[in-house]
Amino acid sequence: MTASMRQQPAAAPTRQEFAERLLKGSVKKSYAPVVDIDWDAPLEPDKFFLPPRCVSLYDTPMWDEMTREQQIELSRQELVNTLSAGIWFENILNQALLRKIMHQDPTARSVHYELTELGDETRHMVMFGKAIELVGAKPVRPRWWHRVVINALPLGFKGSVLWVAALIGEEIFDSLQRQMMDDDDLQPMVQRLMRIHVTEEARHIQFARDGLRKRAPALGPITRLWVSSINGLGGYFFRYLFTNRIPYLRVGLDADRARRLARTSPHRRQVQISGFAPLAAFLEEVGLMGRVSRRMWRRTGFLPQ
């Protein structure tokens, strides 16, 4: 009798119920960065554009050799590099979602949330572009063959691969931004940008996680092996992004030495590990952190040795 009266755990919401919940959240808390950021406010001359501890060369001999002005300038160029990459990634994700929606029921709540996410991401691209313009730097443009890859990737982002790619592109940045946005050394405009992005990306991450959590148990052995192995390529992408030669060259540094120091910096490795930790735990939870991907994430400095 007692056992039969115990409260049963509530059933997990369906995909449509989960999407409906996120749609209601979007109505309550969404932003229009064009008006929600004061683009006319002057930048503060002695503030960083990324917290010093999050700049790639922090706590290296090269960082100690730099003047404060050079350190701030490197933070500016690395912010621009990151925002530029964010624009190109949002472009890839939007293309993949649009292709996905073409084959779905346009009355479904999940489709309505995907369209809402498309709107969020489009506004984020505008926000990133305006931020790059405001800080007075040139965007880091992809080379022609990068653009070929960018336009080809959405063709392969289907099913579980789409949600894994979305999480890799969104959750690592989200985790790092949460660590950065309250730093007193940060430009107020950048703080505001990060708060807006974190608020809206939280819903995108929940949607992607829910999609992957529901799909993962039904994956066949070959598909599971593929998805659990290929996600490790994200480590190589982020290592390339975080040690891109262009910011170093723009500051007038020896780019080869700078990249070598950044990639071997114990401090930088810890920053990357902390940024990847939430996603790593989730991939383990759903059984999609395979041996190959684990080796790649570790080799690129996102998992402990």
Side-chain angles (χ1 to χ4, degrees):
M1 180 69 174
T2 304
S4 65
M5 293 177 64
R6 288 175 183 163
Q7 185 175 0
Q8 298 297 315
T14 67
R15 187 65 165 159
Q16 301 310 316
E17 290 169 343
F18 197 85
E20 178 69 23
R21 183 187 303 170
L22 294 178
L23 283 167
K24 290 178 180 178
S26 298
V27 171
K28 293 177 182 177
K29 197 71 172 178
S30 288
Y31 296 91
V34 171
V35 296
D36 285 324
I37 293 178
D38 185 358
W39 299 106
D40 295 323
L43 297 172
E44 298 195 18
D46 201 42
K47 294 270 189 178
F48 282 80
F49 295 83
L50 293 174
R53 69 184 186 281
C54 294
V55 179
S56 65
L57 290 178
Y58 182 78
D59 200 27
T60 68
M62 202 170 211
W63 179 263
D64 296 335
E65 296 165 8
M66 297 165 65
T67 65
R68 181 175 175 85
E69 289 73 22
Q70 286 178 309
Q71 293 170 351
I72 291 175
E73 177 62 14
L74 181 58
S75 76
R76 184 173 77 107
Q77 294 298 341
E78 290 197 352
L79 171 69
V80 168
N81 180 49
T82 302
L83 294 178
S84 299
I87 291 171
W88 315 135
F89 178 76
E90 308 288 30
N91 188 317
I92 294 170
L93 179 59
N94 282 2
Q95 288 186 55
L97 286 174
L98 282 170
R99 291 177 184 276
K100 181 176 183 293
I101 290 168
M102 184 68 72
H103 305 286
Q104 294 179 289
D105 178 359
T107 68
R109 289 294 179 265
S110 58
V111 171
H112 294 174
Y113 184 73
E114 287 166 357
L115 289 167
T116 300
E117 183 169 337
L118 278 164
D120 291 343
E121 302 294 24
T122 301
R123 291 190 297 274
H124 294 170
M125 293 166 74
V126 173
M127 178 171 67
F128 294 166
K130 289 183 71 66
I132 292 171
E133 180 183 29
L134 179 61
V135 304
K138 294 181 180 179
V140 179
R141 303 289 300 275
R143 298 177 183 178
W144 71 268
W145 62 272
H146 288 162
R147 295 194 294 273
V148 171
V149 173
I150 286 170
N151 282 306
L153 282 174
L155 298 174
F157 284 0
K158 298 176 182 178
S160 297
V161 174
L162 169 60
W163 301 126
V164 169
L167 288 171
I168 290 172
E170 293 177 339
E171 192 156 356
I172 295 174
F173 282 132
D174 179 78
S175 178
L176 290 172
Q177 285 177 117
R178 288 175 186 275
Q179 299 175 41
M180 293 183 203
M181 61 186 184
D182 294 323
D183 194 292
D184 291 337
D185 282 328
L186 203 57
Q187 290 282 349
M189 180 275 293
V190 179
Q191 287 183 318
R192 181 62 174 161
L193 179 151
M194 288 184 176
R195 287 195 179 98
I196 289 173
H197 197 237
V198 161
T199 300
E200 296 186 333
E201 288 296 318
R203 293 191 291 267
H204 303 173
I205 290 168
Q206 290 179 56
F207 190 66
R209 280 192 171 206
D210 182 69
L212 197 56
R213 192 177 276 117
K214 286 181 166 62
R215 296 183 69 96
L219 293 178
I222 295 176
T223 304
R224 178 176 294 277
L225 177 63
W226 169 249
V227 177
S228 66
S229 298
I230 196 174
N231 70 73
L233 293 175
Y236 289 93
F237 164 74
F238 277 106
R239 184 176 70 170
Y240 173 82
L241 172 65
F242 291 152
T243 58
N244 192 332
R245 290 166 51 88
I246 292 175
Y248 303 137
L249 291 171
R250 288 182 177 180
V251 181
L253 302 175
D254 180 337
D256 291 332
R257 181 186 175 215
R259 183 167 61 178
R260 183 173 63 254
L261 287 172
R263 288 185 176 182
T264 57
S265 165
H267 172 80
R268 186 63 192 174
R269 176 176 284 270
Q270 287 305 311
V271 170
Q272 294 179 168
I273 289 172
S274 67
F276 181 55
L279 178 54
F282 177 73
L283 292 174
E284 293 281 7
E285 174 195 331
V286 295
L288 293 177
M289 178 66 83
R291 285 186 298 175
V292 174
S293 62
R294 187 179 289 105
R295 188 178 302 119
M296 288 193 281
W297 285 113
R298 183 173 292 117
R299 185 172 183 179
T300 50
F302 290 86
L303 283 175
Q305 293 292 344

